[in-house]
Amino acid sequence: MSRQSGTFSISDIRLPKFDFETSSIQSSTFTKAPDNESALICFNKHISESAENWSSAKKLFAVGTGLLTVLNSAIASSLPGGAVSYTANYFHVMDQQQYALPISVFLIGYIFGPLLFSPLSETYGRRIILIITFVGYTAFTLGCALAPTWPALLVFRFLVGLCAAAPYTLAGGICADVYSNPAHRGRAIMMLMICLNVGPASGPIISGFMSPINWRLEYWVALMLAIVSFIPLLFLPETYGPVLYARHIQATKVNGRNPIVPMPIGSPEQGLGKTLYVALIRPLRMCAEPIVLATSLFMALLYAIFYLFFEAYPIIFGGVYQMSTGISALAFIPMPIGACLDIIVVVWWDGYLERAKERKAAWAMSEEYRRIPLACIGGPLCALSLFWLAWSARPSIHWIVPMLAGIPYGMGIEIIFMALTTYLSDGYGTLTASALASAAILRSIAGALLPLLARPMYNALGVSGASGLLGSVTLLMAGVPFLLLKFGPSLRKKSTLCRLIVEEKQLGEGEEKV
């Protein structure tokens, strides 16, 4: 496959191919193109080891275990948010601007984790990366519980975030590995998004009631949950296609051939340094994909506002309504309620879409119309929530009114993340983990920085002004899904990665018919 100089190539952003066989007995599965580019995109769907061929129970166990690790990560992300003042007072931290640091440094870990773990999971498999990082997550959570100083606590929080980034990004890859049916994959990702909504809302509640007793208790609770979660993780089967194929080939000796040892290298001259280099730059290079960039920026804004709430809610409900730390943390409960309400919307939409496909409606055959219309609903819901909060958070209005503003935000962010994550999974196939890593990097940068501005912004503009400003920006960005509906097909046609994945899918379907 010849290329002109300067032309974009998938090999520029992926780890080198799996060298499953010796040069004299190259597998026909991976030699459909002279440069062997399809190694990472597709593997032989006919082998029984494919995760797509597993029983429903085995699939549910794999996805459920992934979601359990995600829940740990999500709870840990916001754990100090409910009562960081108790921790700061213990360490004699007087500057309130530093109160946001335990969450911000955690999210900085989210920035660097996907750069390493997501590409490596597409080389060595999901299971081994999840287990290694979860061991680190558990150990560093223990470090937080025993931290002797404020700087030590921040270092451990960063390391916890670094390790917690693995399940945060790899769970989407697991969903893509085991479910080839878009509807099933979409529902699995919906459950993933619910965990990502319920978890952060639970963190402040735990710390809000534990910290008045002892601020270290919140980390001991997280540690106990991690130990319980580690048990099913040990039994998690590998799900990633190329790794399963490598094991299949390694176990097969045909006609006296030499034993086959799968290695994540592309050629004898391919060094470890090059492999690691590509592993680090692949998620960054995927940001050059217009679809990845557009969806990531939209999700980054909503994600940053979500984590800004962990600084803003104590100001609103602790300041305006004079609530205690534990009671004010209960203000987060409406958000997961809103997220759960999305289940009704998604189930209705799936049924509506299937009926449209049966009628052979032209719009129902479009990739964009599987999930993007749901994101079109979510953007205005998030903006509505912020305007609702801006107009109702005042002493003359009962506290339940601004608290209920969390319902539309929970609905909106949940349905947007579910829709756009599924859209990326459908478009990028086995490169899903790297596509999601790119999205995670951008939103983690925003999530780490925006909460640092919460107190200055709310002090300068007030609750109404600050919340109204955020609502206006959200309303502006809510146009992204509508743009994807219109321009998404042309963007996918121009994308080298998307075209290659579509070609491999069509080729695989053709082989199955034969």
Side-chain angles (χ1 to χ4, degrees):
M1 186 180 295
S2 61
R3 291 187 179 87
Q4 297 178 351
S5 177
T7 303
F8 175 79
S9 169
I10 187 175
S11 61
D12 294 332
I13 65 160
R14 66 166 175 83
L15 289 179
K17 65 185 180 254
F18 280 83
D19 218 1
F20 296 131
E21 301 173 311
T22 60
S23 57
S24 61
I25 51 171
Q26 289 294 321
S27 168
S28 61
T29 305
F30 295 97
T31 55
K32 294 180 175 66
D35 61 355
N36 214 13
E37 283 187 341
S38 56
L40 189 61
I41 301 297
C42 183
F43 77 107
N44 193 340
K45 302 291 184 180
H46 301 294
I47 64 172
S48 61
E49 287 82 358
S50 170
E52 295 179 2
N53 297 329
W54 288 350
S55 66
S56 297
K58 191 173 182 180
K59 289 181 179 181
L60 286 174
F61 176 77
V63 172
T65 301
L67 295 184
L68 189 57
T69 62
V70 168
L71 186 62
N72 279 266
S73 173
I75 291 175
S77 68
S78 64
L79 195 58
V84 70
S85 59
Y86 290 94
T87 310
N89 291 338
Y90 179 87
F91 289 121
H92 307 292
V93 177
M94 298 293 105
D95 184 8
Q96 291 191 354
Q97 191 66 24
Q98 296 189 43
Y99 284 14
L101 288 178
I103 290 180
S104 291
V105 296
F106 182 99
L107 296 177
I108 292 174
Y110 269 9
I111 296 171
F112 294 102
L115 284 171
L116 183 61
F117 302 136
S118 293
L120 290 181
S121 79
E122 291 167 351
T123 306
Y124 300 102
R126 319 289 193 201
R127 181 179 185 271
I128 187 63
I129 301 300
L130 274 176
I131 290 177
I132 292 173
T133 54
F134 203 77
V135 169
Y137 166 82
T138 305
F140 295 131
T141 299
L142 176 62
C144 290
L146 301 176
T149 64
W150 178 255
L153 175 65
L154 296 181
V155 170
F156 281 123
R157 284 288 295 170
F158 166 76
L159 294 173
V160 170
L162 183 69
C163 294
Y168 196 78
T169 52
L170 298 191
I174 292 176
C175 294
D177 292 340
V178 302
Y179 291 118
S180 58
N181 183 290
H184 295 164
R185 183 168 59 246
R187 290 171 185 172
I189 291 178
M190 179 182 67
M191 297 307 299
L192 169 63
M193 294 301 111
I194 289 177
C195 289
L196 292 177
N197 199 307
V198 172
S202 303
I205 297 175
I206 294 172
S207 59
F209 286 100
M210 293 295 177
S211 291
I213 303 172
N214 188 324
W215 67 268
R216 298 182 189 273
L217 287 177
E218 61 197 64
Y219 296 106
W220 287 110
V221 172
L223 183 63
M224 288 187 288
L225 178 60
I227 292 173
V228 172
S229 304
F230 196 75
I231 297 173
L233 182 60
L234 288 175
F235 298 95
L236 175 69
E238 181 55 60
T239 65
Y240 189 54
V243 172
L244 294 174
Y245 180 78
R247 293 175 181 174
H248 172 77
I249 294 297
Q250 186 176 10
T252 304
K253 297 179 182 180
V254 181
N255 298 329
R257 293 175 179 175
N258 295 328
I260 301 164
V261 179
M263 298 197 54
I265 57 175
S267 61
E269 64 270 15
Q270 183 70 60
L272 178 61
K274 174 65 174 177
T275 298
L276 293 177
Y277 171 73
V278 177
L280 291 173
I281 68 169
R282 187 207 294 163
L284 295 179
R285 290 294 299 272
M286 289 197 76
C287 289
E289 291 279 300
I291 289 175
V292 175
L293 181 61
T295 56
S296 298
L297 289 176
F298 186 32
M299 290 192 290
L301 173 66
L302 300 178
Y303 182 84
I305 293 174
F306 182 72
Y307 276 92
L308 178 140
F309 283 149
F310 297 116
E311 298 298 316
Y313 270 32
I315 295 174
I316 296 171
F317 296 100
V320 176
Y321 293 102
Q322 299 297 308
M323 293 181 177
S324 65
T325 54
I327 299 301
S328 63
L330 297 177
F332 291 101
I333 291 178
M335 288 191 188
I337 292 176
C340 292
L341 291 176
D342 282 333
I343 297 176
I344 301 173
V345 178
V346 171
V347 171
W348 171 83
W349 173 255
D350 283 344
Y352 180 76
L353 182 63
E354 287 301 317
R355 290 191 294 273
K357 288 180 177 179
E358 291 174 0
R359 298 195 309 269
K360 300 189 182 301
W363 66 267
M365 305 303 164
S366 170
E367 186 82 23
E368 279 64 32
Y369 276 91
R370 278 189 191 148
R371 296 296 171 191
I372 296 297
L374 297 175
C376 294
I377 300 172
L381 281 174
C382 289
L384 170 65
S385 171
L386 291 163
F387 288 128
W388 182 342
L389 184 65
W391 296 331
S392 63
R394 58 193 67 186
S396 59
I397 299 178
H398 194 275
W399 54 264
I400 193 63
V401 179
M403 191 177 289
L404 291 176
I407 292 179
Y409 199 88
M411 290 184 66
I413 191 172
E414 164 75 16
I415 207 166
I416 287 170
F417 272 58
M418 183 275 298
L420 297 185
T421 300
T422 305
Y423 185 53
L424 291 177
S425 298
D426 292 342
Y428 292 94
T430 48
L431 290 175
T432 293
S434 286
L436 297 182
S438 300
I441 290 167
L442 290 179
R443 67 174 177 260
S444 295
I445 292 173
L449 295 178
L450 191 58
L452 296 174
L453 304 177
R455 289 184 181 274
M457 182 170 63
Y458 273 82
N459 289 337
L461 302 179
V463 173
S464 297
S467 300
L469 175 62
L470 295 172
S472 299
V473 176
T474 301
L475 187 60
L476 180 64
M477 289 294 291
V480 168
F482 294 94
L483 294 176
L484 288 175
L485 276 180
K486 182 173 179 61
F487 300 107
S490 60
L491 290 175
R492 285 189 292 108
K493 288 179 181 178
K494 294 177 182 178
S495 168
T496 303
L497 290 176
C498 290
R499 286 203 312 270
L500 182 57
I501 290 169
V502 169
E503 290 171 2
E504 291 292 347
K505 286 181 179 179
Q506 292 173 345
L507 182 61
E509 291 172 357
E511 290 178 348
E512 289 178 359
K513 291 179 180 179
V514 174

